[in-house]
Amino acid sequence: MTRRIDAAGLSHIMQWEGKRLTSYRDVAGIWTVGFGHTDAAGPPKVFAGMKITEEQAAEILRSDLAKFEERVSRLVKVPLTDNQFSVLVSFDFNTGSLHKSTLLKRLNAGQYDAVPGELMKWVNAGGKRVQGLVNRRAAEAGLWAKGEFVSSNTVPAAPIASPLLTKENVSWGAGILSTLGFSSVGPGPLQWALAAVLVGAFAIGAFFFIKSRVNPS
């Protein structure tokens, strides 16, 4: 089943392709229109002086991406986050070379952390290093690492665990102690006794929570 990129992935591609409603030649000299549409992607055929509307540009892009969404869905054999899937669609849409890349081979071998470096090898156009492509590959590498899987060629991919302590958790705990320990009773020994009980209960709960995260089995 073919997977589709999410809204964030679509926005990423739109940003880096740029929207041009009048045809132009790209850095490789190829006639382009809309969000990076060329004849190689299929109809409509791009020609000098061609003009399209914003709605047509979006429709053409979605149509163009379908081919690359299918290719990534078929070629990649390991699990991907939405961001990682979007990166590969963006990369393949831009280069058309995912199928023959070392990037794909290393990724399918479980080497997720090799992908950013492999992306940075694809920064030339017309035989020259292009700063725009350097920037695009860097942005793709950053999106790849956002919420990435922790894995290697010997460790199965698994989502990164959320932080044990967050600002929200600390605020929540402090709020409970403040409300129950200091607001429900007047000042005095009883106040501090109740606070001590709450702190102890919170510490015990935190201990078992952390233990379950470190050693989930």
Side-chain angles (χ1 to χ4, degrees):
M1 182 176 178
T2 299
R3 184 173 174 180
R4 305 301 301 271
I5 65 171
D6 59 13
L10 184 62
S11 177
H12 168 87
I13 293 175
M14 286 181 170
Q15 173 189 356
W16 286 101
E17 290 296 338
K19 180 177 63 180
R20 300 279 292 273
L21 301 182
T22 300
S23 60
Y24 65 97
R25 290 187 183 275
D26 66 9
V27 293
I30 299 173
W31 281 109
T32 308
V33 75
F35 293 100
H37 175 76
T38 67
D39 290 352
K45 181 176 178 62
V46 186
F47 52 88
M50 180 180 182
K51 295 181 182 294
I52 61 175
T53 66
E54 292 189 7
E55 291 73 18
Q56 288 174 323
E59 290 175 2
I60 292 171
L61 175 61
R62 290 182 181 278
S63 177
D64 289 350
L65 288 179
K67 169 185 176 181
F68 300 97
E69 290 167 333
E70 186 280 328
R71 278 166 54 87
V72 174
S73 298
R74 172 170 47 84
L75 293 171
V76 177
K77 309 302 182 182
V78 294
L80 298 171
T81 65
D82 287 342
N83 286 334
Q84 290 170 339
F85 180 79
S86 294
V87 165
L88 296 181
V89 172
S90 174
F91 170 76
D92 200 29
F93 180 62
N94 182 235
T95 67
S97 299
L98 178 64
H99 64 290
K100 60 182 181 181
S101 66
T102 302
L103 183 157
L104 178 64
K105 294 178 181 179
R106 299 191 68 179
L107 175 59
N108 280 339
Q111 299 174 25
Y112 288 80
D113 58 351
V115 171
E118 292 296 330
L119 286 170
M120 297 308 299
K121 295 178 180 179
W122 295 81
V123 295
N124 294 337
K128 297 180 180 180
R129 181 182 178 89
V130 178
Q131 187 59 44
L133 290 177
V134 173
N135 296 343
R136 178 170 182 160
R137 296 288 97 86
E140 288 170 346
L143 185 60
W144 178 269
K146 185 177 180 181
E148 82 277 17
F149 283 98
V150 176
S151 69
S152 68
N153 60 337
T154 58
V155 179
I160 286 182
S162 58
L164 295 177
L165 294 179
T166 65
K167 180 175 67 176
E168 291 76 13
N169 291 341
V170 172
S171 297
W172 175 76
I176 291 178
L177 292 178
S178 176
T179 300
L180 296 181
F182 292 88
S183 298
S184 61
V185 295
L190 181 58
Q191 177 188 23
W192 292 107
L194 180 56
V197 171
L198 290 171
V199 170
F202 186 79
I204 292 172
F207 169 78
F208 285 108
F209 173 70
I210 293 173
K211 182 178 180 181
S212 67
R213 296 290 296 276
V214 175
N215 185 16
S217 60

